[in-house]
Amino acid sequence: MEATIEVDALRKRYGPTLALDGMSFTVRPGHVTGFVGPNGAGKSTTMRVVLGLDAPDEGRALVGGRPYPSLRTPLRHVGALLDAAALQPSRTGRNHLLWLARSQGLGARRVEEVLELVGLGQAARRRAGGYSLGMRQRLGIAAALLGDPPVLLLDEPFNGLDPEGIVWMRGFLRGLAAEGRAVLVSSHLMSELEDTAGHLVVAGRGRVVADTSVADLIARA
Ligand code: ADP
Ligand code: ADP
């Protein structure tokens, strides 16, 4: 599957709120695309529409040229981090992942692999009730990576990370893209994305207000 995300003229209304007002952009494989904009700009709604969790009123979102998920693009082709908090406190992080892996037909070995990738080898054997937000973010990314998806959508993955975690996350996301994945990363803080993303989509009030390479942005500044 070609790992491109196309967001095409999405409109979405929640009662009186126009959440998406013509949102359009493309995410290319092999790059981290930063999706930046203030809270309420429509970033999460866009990601939910791409994932098929929310239906747009108008427009469409395609993954690898097709609506997602479809028969040709099974669920494991796209990994997503939408809410790092969805964990049962009494379960260990590892057990949470084992349960997710089983539901995707994957074994325990893949769980150990993704835990190593996100640097949670030992910590994930403790109960999730005591996890910091940073640990929950790492666990959420481990879950997103289980099926080794060519496309990743990560909503505010820097939230709750300490300075060391932020540095780790930057390098980790760049590495995922360097392996050929399309990586879309949202943040309400430009500073979190400027050293991470090569390309920036800036959203405001449900639409794209700038779509630019970071190098061009810096050259113009
Ligand atoms: P962002 O992720 O950029 O912060 P969102 O996509 O979460 O923006 O929200 C865009 C707008 O849509 C906001 O005004 C938000 O309050 C509204 N919104 C999002 N989801 C819902 C929902 N399920 N019900 C009602 N309003 C919503
Ligand atoms: P870096 O060189 O910092 O690693 P990238 O490899 O991510 O940056 O980006 C290299 C070039 O590809 C940039 O000019 C960037 O704008 C362009 N590019 C990346 N993603 C997209 C996209 N979704 N749409 C248009 N151009 C893109």
Side-chain angles (χ1 to χ4, degrees), residues 26-28 30-33 174 197-201 211-216:
T26 301
V27 183
R28 290 193 193 161
H31 305 282
V32 178
T33 297
R174 282 199 300 263
H199 198 81
L200 276 183
V201 172
D211 187 332
T212 176
S213 82
V214 173
D216 283 356

Side-chain angles (χ1 to χ4, degrees), residues 2-87:
E2 211 226 321
T4 298
I5 306 170
E6 291 160 81
V7 171
D8 181 15
L10 295 179
R11 278 174 70 87
K12 174 77 184 173
R13 193 175 271 290
Y14 293 107
T17 307
L18 189 56
L20 299 180
D21 183 17
M23 184 74 78
S24 295
F25 60 90
T26 301
V27 183
R28 290 193 193 161
H31 305 282
V32 178
T33 297
F35 194 16
V36 73
N39 286 324
K43 305 181 299 294
S44 302
T45 303
T46 301
M47 289 191 175
R48 285 202 307 272
V49 169
V50 173
L51 292 165
L53 300 174
D54 227 334
D57 301 329
E58 290 172 39
R60 57 183 194 161
L62 303 175
V63 174
R66 299 198 177 81
Y68 176 81
S70 72
L71 241 53
R72 296 278 202 80
T73 52
L75 281 170
R76 63 187 159 73
H77 280 184
V78 177
L81 173 75
L82 291 185
D83 181 2
L87 284 172

Side-chain angles (χ1 to χ4, degrees), residues 134-145:
M135 270 188 76
R136 296 210 299 274
Q137 296 282 33
R138 286 183 194 236
L139 201 69
I141 290 184
L145 290 174

